[in-house]
Amino acid sequence: PLLDSDFYVSEVLDELFSGMSSRLFERVRDELGLAYFVRSARIIGLDTAMFYFYAGTAPGHEKSVLREIAREIKRVSGGGVTAEELQRCQVRLKAAHRMGLQTNSNRAMQAGLNVLYGQPVNDWRNYDGHIDAVTRADLVRFARTYFKPGLRTQLTVKP
């Protein structure tokens, strides 16, 4: 959730699992040809949130894609994220955040939301520090806490 101490850890993990340069994407799409796209995303509330994975695949490949997602979660849970991977994610997040605040209207919107959320008006200025503070150990702890098989729900939508 937005007001949770793990919010920025989830930001980094979402970046790690998403995008065309993520290991998950490269494995599922490029190496195995199982899906057109695969990534993670979040629904974020103030006090609750949901972290999820999704993929666009052909009928018959669902189980293989789910297996690869579980494999990537296991890699992260086991400490398999390299320092270079983490740094690349941090750089991409900070750059995207800055780009999203280039206009006065976006900065005003962020300041207004911060006030509504009970955060400092200019909390966006602290974003880089929060992202840089995320460690590989934080990623392992988060994955082991929130990505446990017993907490997962799997949904397959077919034509």
Coordinates of all heavy atoms in Angstrom, one line a residue, residues 67-105:
R67 N 4.3 -21.4 -14.7 CA 5.5 -22.0 -14.2 C 6.7 -21.1 -14.3 O 7.5 -21.0 -13.4 CB 5.7 -23.3 -15.0 CG 6.5 -24.3 -14.3 CD 6.6 -25.7 -14.9 NE 6.3 -25.8 -16.3 CZ 5.1 -26.3 -16.9 NH1 4.2 -26.7 -16.1 NH2 5.0 -26.3 -18.2
E68 N 6.8 -20.3 -15.4 CA 7.9 -19.4 -15.5 C 7.8 -18.2 -14.6 O 8.8 -17.7 -14.0 CB 8.1 -18.9 -17.0 CG 8.5 -20.0 -17.9 CD 9.8 -20.6 -17.6 OE1 10.8 -19.9 -17.1 OE2 10.0 -21.8 -17.7
I69 N 6.6 -17.8 -14.3 CA 6.4 -16.7 -13.4 C 6.8 -17.2 -12.0 O 7.5 -16.5 -11.2 CB 4.9 -16.2 -13.4 CG1 4.6 -15.4 -14.7 CG2 4.6 -15.3 -12.2 CD1 3.2 -15.1 -14.9
A70 N 6.4 -18.4 -11.6 CA 6.8 -19.0 -10.3 C 8.3 -19.1 -10.2 O 8.9 -18.9 -9.1 CB 6.1 -20.3 -10.1
R71 N 8.9 -19.5 -11.3 CA 10.3 -19.7 -11.3 C 11.1 -18.4 -11.1 O 12.0 -18.3 -10.3 CB 10.7 -20.2 -12.7 CG 12.2 -20.5 -12.9 CD 12.5 -21.1 -14.2 NE 13.9 -21.1 -14.5 CZ 14.5 -21.1 -15.6 NH1 13.7 -21.1 -16.7 NH2 15.8 -21.1 -15.8
E72 N 10.5 -17.3 -11.7 CA 11.2 -16.0 -11.5 C 10.9 -15.5 -10.0 O 11.8 -14.9 -9.4 CB 10.6 -15.0 -12.5 CG 11.2 -13.6 -12.4 CD 12.7 -13.5 -12.7 OE1 13.3 -14.6 -13.1 OE2 13.3 -12.4 -12.6
I73 N 9.8 -15.7 -9.5 CA 9.5 -15.4 -8.1 C 10.5 -16.2 -7.2 O 11.1 -15.6 -6.2 CB 8.1 -15.7 -7.7 CG1 7.1 -14.7 -8.4 CG2 7.9 -15.7 -6.2 CD1 5.7 -15.1 -8.2
K74 N 10.7 -17.4 -7.5 CA 11.6 -18.2 -6.7 C 13.0 -17.7 -6.8 O 13.8 -17.7 -5.8 CB 11.6 -19.7 -7.2 CG 12.4 -20.6 -6.4 CD 12.3 -22.1 -6.8 CE 13.2 -23.0 -6.0 NZ 13.0 -24.4 -6.4
R75 N 13.5 -17.2 -7.9 CA 14.8 -16.6 -8.1 C 15.0 -15.4 -7.2 O 16.0 -15.3 -6.5 CB 15.0 -16.3 -9.6 CG 16.4 -15.7 -9.9 CD 16.5 -15.3 -11.3 NE 15.9 -14.0 -11.6 CZ 16.5 -12.8 -11.5 NH1 17.7 -12.7 -11.0 NH2 15.8 -11.7 -11.8
V76 N 13.9 -14.6 -7.2 CA 14.0 -13.3 -6.4 C 14.0 -13.7 -4.9 O 14.8 -13.2 -4.1 CB 12.9 -12.4 -6.7 CG1 12.8 -11.2 -5.8 CG2 13.0 -11.9 -8.2
S77 N 13.1 -14.6 -4.5 CA 13.0 -15.1 -3.1 C 14.3 -15.7 -2.6 O 14.6 -15.6 -1.4 CB 11.9 -16.1 -3.0 OG 10.6 -15.5 -3.3
G78 N 15.0 -16.3 -3.5 CA 16.3 -17.0 -3.2 C 17.5 -16.1 -3.2 O 18.6 -16.5 -3.1
G79 N 17.3 -14.8 -3.5 CA 18.4 -13.8 -3.5 C 19.1 -13.8 -4.9 O 20.3 -13.3 -4.9
G80 N 18.4 -14.2 -5.9 CA 19.1 -14.2 -7.2 C 19.2 -12.9 -8.0 O 19.7 -12.9 -9.1
V81 N 18.7 -11.8 -7.5 CA 18.8 -10.5 -8.1 C 20.2 -10.0 -8.0 O 20.7 -9.9 -6.8 CB 17.7 -9.5 -7.6 CG1 17.9 -8.2 -8.2 CG2 16.3 -10.1 -7.8
T82 N 20.8 -9.7 -9.1 CA 22.2 -9.1 -9.0 C 22.2 -7.7 -8.6 O 21.1 -7.0 -8.8 CB 22.9 -9.3 -10.3 OG1 22.3 -8.5 -11.3 CG2 22.9 -10.8 -10.8
A83 N 23.3 -7.2 -8.2 CA 23.4 -5.7 -7.8 C 23.2 -4.9 -9.1 O 22.6 -3.8 -9.0 CB 24.8 -5.5 -7.3
E84 N 23.6 -5.4 -10.3 CA 23.5 -4.7 -11.5 C 22.0 -4.6 -11.9 O 21.5 -3.5 -12.4 CB 24.3 -5.3 -12.6 CG 25.8 -5.3 -12.4 CD 26.3 -6.3 -11.4 OE1 25.7 -7.3 -11.2 OE2 27.4 -6.0 -10.9
E85 N 21.3 -5.7 -11.7 CA 19.8 -5.7 -12.0 C 19.1 -4.6 -11.2 O 18.3 -3.9 -11.6 CB 19.2 -7.0 -11.7 CG 19.3 -8.1 -12.8 CD 18.6 -9.3 -12.3 OE1 19.1 -10.0 -11.5 OE2 17.4 -9.5 -12.8
L86 N 19.4 -4.7 -9.9 CA 18.8 -3.7 -8.9 C 19.1 -2.3 -9.3 O 18.2 -1.5 -9.4 CB 19.2 -4.0 -7.5 CG 18.8 -3.0 -6.5 CD1 17.3 -2.9 -6.4 CD2 19.4 -3.4 -5.1
Q87 N 20.3 -2.0 -9.6 CA 20.7 -0.7 -10.0 C 20.0 -0.2 -11.3 O 19.5 0.9 -11.4 CB 22.2 -0.6 -10.2 CG 22.7 0.9 -10.5 CD 24.2 1.0 -10.6 OE1 24.8 0.0 -11.0 NE2 24.7 2.2 -10.4
R88 N 19.9 -1.1 -12.3 CA 19.2 -0.7 -13.5 C 17.7 -0.4 -13.2 O 17.2 0.6 -13.8 CB 19.3 -1.9 -14.5 CG 20.6 -1.9 -15.3 CD 20.5 -2.9 -16.5 NE 20.0 -4.2 -16.2 CZ 20.8 -5.2 -15.9 NH1 22.1 -5.1 -15.8 NH2 20.2 -6.4 -15.7
C89 N 17.1 -1.2 -12.4 CA 15.7 -0.9 -12.0 C 15.6 0.5 -11.3 O 14.7 1.2 -11.6 CB 15.1 -2.0 -11.1 SG 14.9 -3.6 -11.9
Q90 N 16.5 0.7 -10.4 CA 16.5 2.0 -9.7 C 16.6 3.2 -10.6 O 15.9 4.2 -10.5 CB 17.5 2.0 -8.6 CG 17.2 1.0 -7.5 CD 18.4 0.8 -6.5 OE1 19.5 0.6 -7.0 NE2 18.1 0.6 -5.2
V91 N 17.6 3.1 -11.6 CA 17.8 4.1 -12.5 C 16.6 4.4 -13.4 O 16.1 5.5 -13.6 CB 19.0 3.8 -13.4 CG1 19.1 4.8 -14.6 CG2 20.3 3.9 -12.5
R92 N 16.0 3.3 -13.9 CA 14.8 3.4 -14.8 C 13.6 4.1 -14.0 O 12.9 4.9 -14.5 CB 14.3 2.1 -15.3 CG 15.2 1.6 -16.5 CD 14.6 0.4 -17.2 NE 14.3 -0.7 -16.4 CZ 15.1 -1.8 -16.2 NH1 16.3 -1.8 -16.7 NH2 14.7 -2.8 -15.4
L93 N 13.4 3.6 -12.7 CA 12.3 4.2 -11.9 C 12.5 5.7 -11.7 O 11.6 6.5 -11.8 CB 12.2 3.5 -10.6 CG 11.5 2.1 -10.7 CD1 11.7 1.4 -9.3 CD2 10.0 2.3 -10.9
K94 N 13.7 6.1 -11.3 CA 14.0 7.5 -11.0 C 13.8 8.3 -12.3 O 13.3 9.4 -12.2 CB 15.4 7.6 -10.4 CG 15.5 7.0 -9.0 CD 16.8 7.3 -8.4 CE 17.9 6.6 -9.1 NZ 19.2 6.7 -8.4
A95 N 14.3 7.8 -13.4 CA 14.1 8.6 -14.7 C 12.7 8.7 -15.1 O 12.2 9.8 -15.4 CB 14.9 7.9 -15.8
A96 N 11.9 7.7 -14.9 CA 10.5 7.7 -15.3 C 9.7 8.7 -14.3 O 8.8 9.4 -14.8 CB 9.9 6.3 -15.2
H97 N 10.1 8.6 -13.1 CA 9.4 9.5 -12.1 C 9.7 11.0 -12.4 O 8.8 11.8 -12.4 CB 9.9 9.2 -10.7 CG 9.2 9.9 -9.6 ND1 9.7 11.0 -9.0 CD2 8.0 9.7 -9.1 CE1 8.8 11.4 -8.1 NE2 7.8 10.6 -8.1
R98 N 10.9 11.3 -12.8 CA 11.3 12.7 -13.1 C 10.5 13.1 -14.4 O 10.1 14.2 -14.5 CB 12.8 12.8 -13.3 CG 13.6 12.8 -12.1 CD 15.0 12.9 -12.3 NE 15.8 12.6 -11.1 CZ 16.9 12.0 -11.0 NH1 17.5 11.7 -12.1 NH2 17.5 11.7 -9.9
M99 N 10.5 12.2 -15.4 CA 9.8 12.5 -16.6 C 8.3 12.8 -16.4 O 7.7 13.6 -17.0 CB 10.0 11.4 -17.6 CG 11.4 11.4 -18.2 SD 11.8 9.9 -19.3 CE 10.3 9.7 -20.2
G100 N 7.7 12.0 -15.4 CA 6.3 12.2 -15.1 C 6.0 13.5 -14.4 O 4.9 13.9 -14.2
L101 N 7.0 14.2 -13.9 CA 6.8 15.4 -13.2 C 7.4 16.6 -13.9 O 7.7 17.7 -13.3 CB 7.5 15.3 -11.8 CG 6.8 14.3 -10.8 CD1 7.6 14.2 -9.5 CD2 5.4 14.8 -10.5
Q102 N 7.5 16.5 -15.2 CA 8.1 17.6 -16.0 C 7.2 18.8 -16.2 O 7.6 19.9 -16.4 CB 8.5 17.1 -17.3 CG 9.8 16.3 -17.2 CD 10.3 15.8 -18.6 OE1 9.5 15.8 -19.6 NE2 11.5 15.4 -18.7
T103 N 5.9 18.6 -16.1 CA 4.9 19.8 -16.3 C 4.4 20.3 -14.9 O 4.4 19.6 -13.9 CB 3.7 19.3 -17.1 OG1 3.0 18.4 -16.4 CG2 4.2 18.7 -18.5
N104 N 4.1 21.6 -14.9 CA 3.5 22.2 -13.7 C 2.3 21.5 -13.3 O 2.0 21.3 -12.1 CB 3.3 23.7 -14.0 CG 4.5 24.5 -14.1 OD1 5.6 24.1 -13.6 ND2 4.5 25.6 -14.8
S105 N 1.4 21.1 -14.2 CA 0.2 20.4 -13.9 C 0.4 19.1 -13.2 O -0.3 18.7 -12.2 CB -0.7 20.2 -15.1 OG -0.1 19.4 -16.0

